[in-house]
C-alpha cells in the first residue's frame, strides 16, 4: 500500500539544455514557462547573465539566445526577478566590478533591467539621476514584488553586509522611482520572502452583504414583468437564498493584489512575522501586521532561503529546514481566510536528494521544486548550490489549494439570468425530463451556451431537410411568407424543421439545475449546491465536455467536502477523472 501523500507528487528528470549548477540564480514563472536568470557558476566562480526557459509541461530546458546587439545587463547573482506584462524585471544583485578579472573583487548594483519575453530582447537601460533621494542604494539578497504596475524593492544588504531597512517603489509605466520609506525590519532572501498574485480572489458573500445590488434588480419573480402590480412568479429564488462562491478576478484600484511579506528568524526558537503591503491608488501603500493572527496545531519550522507564492486564498512558503538530527525541504500553507497553518506532505518525492528552489505553476495549481534527487541536501546547502537536473511537481488542488474559477457574468447578471429562466422570458422551447415534466427555456440561449445541443440540432436539421427533399411536391404546400425584418445573423428557421422540445433523460431537479447554470453561467441556487445534484452536474459536465461547469462544480465540491459527503464525491470524481478531487 502506498500512502496517499505519494499520489500528490511525482519526480522527473529534466531534459534539453539543462543549466549548470548555480549559486544565487533567480526563477520566475510566466504561464507554463519558468525563466532562470543569472547566478554564479559553481565550477568556475564566474557570474553569468544567461537566460534559460523551462517548459513546465514537457520538463525541457532551452537556453534563450540573446542578441549581441542588445545592451545585455552585467552578470550578477542574488538579484531579484519579477514578471510584468510579458517582461522579466531584474533589479540589483552582486557582481564582479567592471574591468576586473578577480572573482573576489565584488560590487553591488541598483539598476532595473527589462527583458521582453515576446521579442527576446533586452530593453535599453533606463537612465536615472544618481543624486535622487528616491533611487535605492545598491543592494543584494533583497526582496521584490510587482503589484499595481509598481515594483517594490524591500530590504537586502549592501556590499558590507549591512542591512538596508527601507522600501523603494519603481513605477513600471513611467520607469521612474517614485517613493522611499523606512521599514523597521531586517528583510533578506536568507530569512524572508515577499509574494503577490496575478489575480485577486473576491469574496462576494462579504462584498454583497446588505443586498443593495439585488435590491436594484427588483423583487424576485417580478424582474422582467411589465406590470409591476402583477403577482410575482411562484417559486422564484429569493436573493438572500443565493449562494455566491469566491471567484478570481483581475485586480482593481478597489481590490488590488496585496504583497505578503513573511519572515522567520532565530531558528533555535523560531520567530515568524507576516505583514501585508496594500497598494493605494495614489501611489502610496499601507502596511498591516498579521503576525499575531496566525494559528494552527503546528507551525512551519525555521526555513532558510524561503520561497513562496499566493494561490487562491492560500499563502505557500517552502524552504530548507536544518537541525542536528533532521534535514528536509519543507512546504507549508497558510489559509488567509482563517489564518491557519497546515503542512503540505509531498510523500516520498522529496524525502531524499537535494532540493532548494521552488516556484508556483498557478495555471495548473501545481508547486514545482527543482534539485537533484541523488544529491546531498546539507552539502549543497552549505555551498548554496542550486541544481536543475530533476523536478518534482506537487498537486496543490489535492490539498484543497487552487485558483477559484473566474466569473463569466457578473453577479447582478447572474441573478437576472436566473430570473429570465424562472419568469419564462423568451421561452420558445421545452426540455422534457425523464418523469415527463417540462421546463420552458430559450432555444437560442441553449445553442449559444451548450455546444453539444447546438451540434445535435444541426444534425436534426440536416436529416429533416433530406427527408423533406424526398417528399413529392404537392400544390397545397405553402411557401414561407416573406417577413420584413432587420438584417439577421442567421437565416430565419423553417418552422417545419424547428423542434419545440428535447428529451433529456435526467430527473427534473438535475435538469432544472443544469438550466439554471446555462442561464446564469454559475452555481448560485440552493438546488445546485445539494450534494446529489453537484455529483450529477459533474457527470454531465464530463459527458457534454462543459469545462467551465466542471470547474465550478469542483470548486463547490472542494468547499462542501466533509465526512458526510466524502464517499459520494470520491465516487463521482473517480468516474469523471478528477484526480485532484479524488485524492483529497
Amino acid at each position: 500500500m502506498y500512502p496517499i501523500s505519494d499520489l500528490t507528487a511525482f519526480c522527473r528528470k529534466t531534459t534539453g539544455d539543462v543549466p549548470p549548477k548555480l549559486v544565487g540564480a533567480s526563477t520566475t514563472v510566466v504561464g507554463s514557462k519558468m525563466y532562470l536568470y543569472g547566478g554564479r557558476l559553481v565550477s568556475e566562480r564566474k557570474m553569468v547573465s544567461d537566460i534559460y526557459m523551462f517548459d513546465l509541461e514537457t520538463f525541457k530546458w532551452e537556453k534563450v539566445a540573446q542578441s549581441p546587439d542588445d545592451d545585455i545587463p552585467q552578470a550578477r547573482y542574488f538579484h531579484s526577478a519579477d514578471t510584468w506584462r510579458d517582461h522579466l524585471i531584474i533589479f540589483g544583485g552582486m557582481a564582479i566590478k567592471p574591468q576586473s578579472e578577480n572573482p573576489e573583487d565584488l560590487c553591488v548594483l541598483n539598476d532595473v533591467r527589462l527583458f521582453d519575453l515576446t521579442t527576446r530582447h533586452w530593453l535599453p537601460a533606463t537612465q536615472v539621476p544618481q543624486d535622487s533621494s528616491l533611487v535605492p542604494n545598491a543592494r543584494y539578497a533583497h526582496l521584490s514584488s510587482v503589484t499595481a504596475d509598481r515594483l517594490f524593492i524591500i530590504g537586502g544588504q549592501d556590499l558590507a553586509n549591512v542591512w538596508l531597512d527601507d522600501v523603494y517603489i519603481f513605477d513600471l509605466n513611467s520607469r521612474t522611482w517614485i517613493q522611499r520609506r523606512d521599514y523597521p525590519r531586517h528583510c533578506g532572501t536568507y530569512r524572508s520572502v515577499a509574494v503577490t498574485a496575478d489575480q485577486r480572489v473576491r469574496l462576494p458573500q462579504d462584498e454583497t452583504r446588505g443586498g443593495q445590488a439585488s435590491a436594484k434588480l427588483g423583487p424576485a419573480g417580478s424582474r422582467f414583468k411589465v406590470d409591476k402590480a402583477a403577482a410575482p412568479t411562484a417559486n422564484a429564488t429569493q436573493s438572500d437564498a443565493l449562494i455566491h462562491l469566491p471567484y478570481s478576478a483581475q485586480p482593481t484600484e478597489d481590490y488590488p493584489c496585496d504583497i505578503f511579506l513573511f519572515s522567520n528568524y532565530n531558528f533555535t526558537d523560531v520567530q515568524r512575522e507576516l505583514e501585508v503591503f496594500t497598494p493605494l491608488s495614489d501611489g502610496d501603500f499601507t502596511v498591516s501586521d498579521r503576525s499575531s493572527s496566525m494559528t494552527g496545531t503546528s507551525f512551519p519550522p525555521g526555513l532558510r532561503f524561503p520561497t513562496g507564492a499566493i494561490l487562491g486564498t492560500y499563502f505557500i512558503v517552502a524552504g530548507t529546514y536544518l537541525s542536528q538530527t533532521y534535514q528536509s525541504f519543507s512546504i507549508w500553507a497558510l489559509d488567509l481566510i482563517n489564518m491557519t497553518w497546515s503542512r503540505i506532505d509531498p510523500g516520498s518525492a522529496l524525502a531524499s536528494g537535494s532540493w532548494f528552489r521552488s516556484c508556483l505553476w498557478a495555471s495548473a495549481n501545481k508547486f514545482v521544486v527543482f534539485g537533484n534527487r541523488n544529491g546531498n541536501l546539507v552539502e549543497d546547502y552549505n555551498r548554496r548550490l542550486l541544481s536543475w537536473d530533476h523536478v518534482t511537481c506537487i498537486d496543490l488542488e489535492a490539498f484543497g489549494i487552487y485558483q477559484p474559477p473566474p466569473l463569466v457574468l457578473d453577479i447582478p447578471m447572474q441573478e437576472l439570468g436566473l430570473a429570465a429562466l424562472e419568469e419564462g422570458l423568451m421561452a420558445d422551447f421545452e426540455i422534457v425530463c425523464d418523469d415527463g415534466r417540462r421546463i420552458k427555456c430559450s432555444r437560442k440561449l441553449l445553442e449559444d451556451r451548450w455546444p453539444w445541443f447546438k451540434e445535435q440540432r444541426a444534425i436534426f436539421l440536416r436529416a429533416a431537410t433530406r427527408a423533406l427533399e424526398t417528399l413529392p411536391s404537392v400544390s397545397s404546400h405553402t411557401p414561407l411568407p416573406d417577413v420584413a425584418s432587420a438584417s439577421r445573423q442567421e437565416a430565419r428557421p423553417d418552422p417545419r424543421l424547428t423542434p419545440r422540445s428535447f428529451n433529456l433523460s435526467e430527473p427534473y431537479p438535475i435538469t432544472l439545475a443544469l438550466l439554471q447554470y446555462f442561464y446564469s453561467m454559475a452555481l448560485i441556487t440552493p438546488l445546485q449546491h445539494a450534494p446529489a445534484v453537484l455529483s450529477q452536474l459533474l457527470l454531465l459536465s464530463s459527458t457534454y465536455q462543459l469545462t467551465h461547469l466542471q470547474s465550478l462544480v469542483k470548486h463547490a465540491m472542494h468547499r462542501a467536502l466533509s465526512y458526510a459527503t466524502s464517499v459520494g464525491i470520491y465516487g463521482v470524481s473517480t468516474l469523471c477523472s478528477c484526480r485532484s478531487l479524488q485524492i483529497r
Side-chain angles (χ1 to χ4, degrees), residues 200-366:
R200 169 84 181 225
V201 175
R202 304 276 291 269
L203 306 175
Q205 297 292 74
D206 294 338
E207 295 176 15
T208 59
R209 189 169 292 160
Q212 294 181 359
S214 298
K216 294 179 181 178
L217 302 178
S222 302
R223 289 172 176 167
F224 290 100
K225 291 187 181 296
V226 177
D227 183 5
K228 297 301 181 182
T233 303
N235 301 321
T237 307
Q238 300 300 314
S239 295
D240 56 5
L242 297 178
I243 302 167
H244 296 288
L245 296 179
Y247 64 93
S248 299
Q250 292 300 315
T252 64
E253 288 188 359
D254 292 332
Y255 298 97
C257 286
D258 297 331
I259 296 174
F260 291 82
L261 195 161
F262 174 79
S263 296
N264 62 171
Y265 53 92
N266 190 20
F267 293 143
T268 56
D269 181 20
V270 182
Q271 304 296 309
R272 306 172 191 86
E273 297 173 349
L274 179 66
E275 293 203 320
V276 181
F277 290 44
T278 301
L280 304 177
S281 57
D282 61 359
D284 202 358
F285 65 97
T286 62
V287 180
S288 57
D289 192 341
R290 304 285 298 278
S291 306
S292 60
S293 302
M294 296 186 291
T295 62
T297 56
S298 58
F299 289 83
L303 301 176
R304 302 161 199 256
F305 290 100
T307 52
I310 299 290
L311 181 62
T313 56
Y314 285 84
F315 165 71
I316 303 163
V317 64
T320 305
Y321 169 57
L322 297 176
S323 70
Q324 293 182 345
T325 58
Y326 185 71
Q327 304 85 35
S328 71
F329 187 83
S330 188
I331 308 171
W332 291 74
L334 176 66
D335 186 332
L336 296 172
I337 303 299
N338 58 34
M339 298 301 291
T340 302
W341 282 105
S342 59
R343 178 173 172 263
I344 295 177
D345 182 4
S348 60
L350 300 179
S352 61
S354 170
W355 308 93
F356 289 107
R357 180 56 58 84
S358 61
C359 56
L360 175 70
W361 182 10
S363 59
N365 297 319
K366 286 182 170 58

Side-chain angles (χ1 to χ4, degrees), residues 408-475:
V408 174
L409 303 175
D410 61 28
I411 290 175
M413 291 297 292
Q414 292 175 9
E415 296 192 25
L416 284 175
L418 179 62
L421 172 65
E422 294 179 338
E423 297 179 31
L425 189 71
M426 304 292 288
D428 59 351
F429 196 77
E430 289 182 329
I431 300 291
V432 183
C433 309
D434 62 2
D435 60 0
R437 284 191 280 182
R438 297 170 176 263
I439 303 175
K440 294 183 178 182
C441 57
S442 165
R443 175 187 58 80
K444 185 68 168 62
L445 183 139
L446 290 184
E447 288 185 356
D448 289 344
R449 299 182 180 179
W450 191 0
W452 180 88
F453 179 85
K454 184 176 183 178
E455 180 184 356
Q456 294 304 306
R457 182 172 177 272
I459 293 172
F460 170 86
L461 288 176
R462 288 195 294 268
T465 301
R466 287 196 299 269
L468 279 179
E469 290 171 351
T470 62
L471 294 177
S473 177
V474 180
S475 59

Side-chain angles (χ1 to χ4, degrees), residues 21 102 267 269 364 376 393 453 487 576:
K21 291 177 171 57
N102 181 1
F267 293 143
D269 181 20
N376 183 288
C393 291
F453 179 85
S487 60
C576 298

